[in-house]
Amino acid sequence: MRSFTKKLATATLAAVASLAMVGSLAGCGSNGAGKDDLVLTIWGGDTDKQTMQQRLDLAKKKYPSINVKLQYIAKDYDTKIQTMFSGGTAPDILEMAENINAYSSRGQLADLTAQYPNAEQQFGKANVQAYSYKGKMYGAPDRSAPGVVYYNKDIFDAAGVQYPSENWDWNTFVENTQKLVKRDGNKTTQWAYCEGDWWAWYMTWIYQNGGKIIDSNGKPVVNSSENVEAMQFYQDLMYKYQVAPKPEQITDSGADPLFSQGKLAMEVTGFWNVGALKDVKFNWGVAPMWHGKKTAVPMFSNALAVSSQSKHKEDAMKIVKFLSSKEGQKPIAENGLDVPANVEAAADKSFTEASWNKQHIDLSVFAKSTSMTWAPPFIPEWNQITKAMSDGMSQTWNGKQDVKTGLDKAQKTLEGALKK
């Protein structure tokens, strides 16, 4: 079908071709792709689909001979993608995130390193590290929203506390949180800060303290002294300073509902909260995250990869390169879908001065925070890492065991998992 498209020269011929295409697609798979079409799979919602289609339409203008069919997978993305790989029908281009190196370690993804000689300049060092495995880059960073501090201006103003900034250290942070809490007798009616058992939250404290989960040799170092100190500080926010709610004091959905109800002074989360907060009745803003011994900001991202099974790798790489360019990422910014991973696109006015930003939130904070991000250890055993941490630390977060015991449990579990 791709070669057929090359022959189209007039509107009449195009119409005839469209009819022929409809007929030929009737015998194709459920995604409507012909035998020479590339298939790109994504997850997400309506805005994700619309935005990716707009980007593919732009790609079509640059590469008119390449047809790409968008296939949306609403549920069980990884399971369905693995089934496609097993059946030899993997998509040519795949949206990927934390599990990318579970695929690359099995030889299921093409090496994109040579396609991006200036990758760190284009996407930032942390983004490139996150989607690389054993020195090779297997995913082109596509969307990348650094975590930022969402803060309730009304609460800060009432308490006489200056708004958060990247200049805060941990001491400044904890001093200010104690001024932002409100209590009515034994009941807390307003919290200063809220996080929970999510890798992006607890690992950030670890990285800010100079710790890590996996060392440069691929070994787990979960119970290091730096990590114990960081997680003790994290637990102290709940039990010593009582500025953050304990697990039993919040719902499973965590910080977002508390913040949107005006009961929380600040939280650290991703770009998606900009849209979620558009109708709240209080004044709020975003700021770069504070620092510890080091600057470290969580990163919420995804990437585009090329399947090693693709029969059209060269064309697939052309499309991925275009989609990760400033031009190819512009609809992400214009639609308010996310922060473009391309550094130039994130700093462009199409994002920082986007028309959808009716509340005039300082969106440049996202671009500014990109240079502060740390790369999560997206090794093939990523799922085992997060499960080991959750299982090991659950009683610590509940105040029923000390921090070191929880980290020792996680360390032991990971040592076993990484030996296999």
Side-chain angles (χ1 to χ4, degrees):
M1 199 165 291
R2 177 166 35 113
S3 58
F4 182 60
T5 305
K6 286 181 179 176
K7 300 175 183 176
L8 302 183
T10 66
T12 302
L13 281 177
V16 172
S18 296
L19 290 173
M21 187 180 295
V22 169
S24 65
L25 289 179
C28 298
S30 58
N31 57 28
K35 65 182 179 64
D36 290 328
D37 289 347
L38 277 66
V39 173
L40 187 160
T41 53
I42 64 167
W43 65 80
D46 289 341
T47 306
D48 295 76
K49 287 186 284 184
Q50 292 162 8
T51 302
M52 183 56 83
Q53 189 56 60
Q54 287 177 18
R55 298 169 68 194
L56 289 176
D57 291 344
L58 292 174
K60 183 68 176 172
K61 290 180 181 177
K62 184 173 179 67
Y63 297 110
S65 65
I66 303 176
N67 288 338
V68 183
K69 295 294 181 184
L70 182 60
Q71 184 174 357
Y72 171 66
I73 299 178
K75 294 180 180 178
D76 303 321
Y77 185 85
D78 276 324
T79 301
K80 289 174 181 172
I81 291 294
Q82 281 301 347
T83 300
M84 294 165 79
F85 269 109
S86 298
T89 59
D92 300 275
I93 304 169
L94 313 84
E95 184 177 13
M96 291 268 102
E98 292 99 326
N99 284 339
I100 186 167
N101 289 317
Y103 292 81
S104 61
S105 64
R106 291 192 287 258
Q108 292 175 319
L109 301 181
D111 177 7
L112 301 181
T113 311
Q115 305 296 319
Y116 294 93
N118 301 308
E120 291 191 1
Q121 289 175 268
Q122 189 172 351
F123 306 112
K125 186 175 180 180
N127 261 329
V128 175
Q129 285 181 340
Y131 293 103
S132 296
Y133 180 61
K134 294 187 175 179
K136 295 180 179 178
M137 181 172 154
Y138 288 98
D142 192 47
R143 291 157 47 182
S144 178
V148 298
V149 183
Y150 286 75
Y151 62 96
N152 184 317
K153 290 183 177 180
D154 295 346
I155 291 177
F156 273 75
D157 290 345
V161 176
Q162 288 192 338
Y163 297 152
S165 83
E166 69 271 30
N167 297 321
W168 283 17
D169 59 17
W170 286 13
N171 289 331
T172 314
F173 170 80
V174 78
E175 286 169 10
N176 286 332
T177 56
Q178 292 172 83
K179 300 172 186 173
L180 295 164
V181 169
K182 268 190 179 178
R183 297 189 174 89
D184 182 3
N186 292 327
K187 183 179 179 183
T188 302
T189 57
Q190 176 181 290
W191 296 101
Y193 178 66
C194 178
E195 291 190 342
D197 182 24
W198 186 31
W199 65 267
W201 288 333
Y202 60 73
M203 284 189 197
T204 292
W205 292 101
I206 286 172
Y207 277 79
Q208 287 198 350
N209 205 43
K212 56 180 66 172
I213 302 296
I214 304 293
D215 69 11
S216 57
N217 296 314
K219 303 294 184 184
V221 287
V222 174
N223 56 352
S224 69
S225 58
E226 293 88 352
N227 293 2
V228 171
E229 185 179 43
M231 292 298 89
Q232 187 62 60
F233 184 86
Y234 191 72
Q235 192 197 39
D236 283 349
L237 296 176
M238 292 182 278
Y239 293 94
K240 180 179 178 181
Y241 302 113
Q242 299 183 36
V243 297
K246 303 177 183 70
E248 68 269 21
Q249 293 173 309
I250 54 173
T251 64
D252 288 343
S253 49
D256 289 349
L258 276 180
F259 190 85
S260 62
Q261 292 163 14
K263 298 178 181 176
L264 182 64
M266 55 184 161
E267 66 166 327
V268 174
T269 192
F271 174 81
W272 53 83
N273 240 25
V274 171
L277 296 171
K278 62 184 175 63
D279 295 324
V280 298
K281 304 301 181 188
F282 56 84
N283 297 302
W284 59 279
V286 295
M289 195 175 181
W290 49 79
H291 66 276
K293 295 174 184 172
K294 292 180 158 186
T295 297
V297 170
M299 178 180 66
F300 310 106
S301 65
N302 59 21
L304 295 173
V306 173
S307 164
S308 60
Q309 287 186 1
S310 173
K311 296 176 182 176
H312 312 289
K313 284 193 190 69
E314 187 176 337
D315 285 347
M317 288 183 181
K318 286 179 182 176
I319 296 299
V320 169
K321 281 201 74 173
F322 176 79
L323 295 176
S324 57
S325 70
K326 181 181 177 183
E327 181 185 2
Q329 300 226 306
K330 200 170 183 180
I332 297 174
E334 291 176 336
N335 293 351
L337 176 65
D338 207 335
V339 183
N342 184 301
V343 172
E344 275 191 273
D348 189 75
K349 289 182 179 179
S350 60
F351 180 72
T352 60
E353 298 178 15
S355 59
W356 47 262
N357 183 18
K358 305 296 185 189
Q359 293 174 299
H360 306 292
I361 301 303
D362 182 8
L363 297 172
S364 67
V365 168
F366 289 95
K368 185 177 183 180
S369 298
T370 296
S371 62
M372 307 175 193
T373 54
W374 54 275
F378 287 163
I379 62 173
E381 298 84 2
W382 170 256
N383 285 343
Q384 287 102 310
I385 290 177
T386 55
K387 187 174 189 308
M389 289 295 289
S390 291
D391 291 348
M393 297 296 285
S394 62
Q395 295 304 307
T396 299
W397 306 144
N398 286 324
K400 296 178 180 175
Q401 71 181 11
D402 61 45
V403 167
K404 180 68 164 51
T405 299
L407 291 175
D408 283 344
K409 288 180 181 177
Q411 172 75 16
K412 186 176 180 181
T413 303
L414 271 181
E415 285 175 354
L418 295 180
K419 281 181 182 176
K420 296 176 182 175

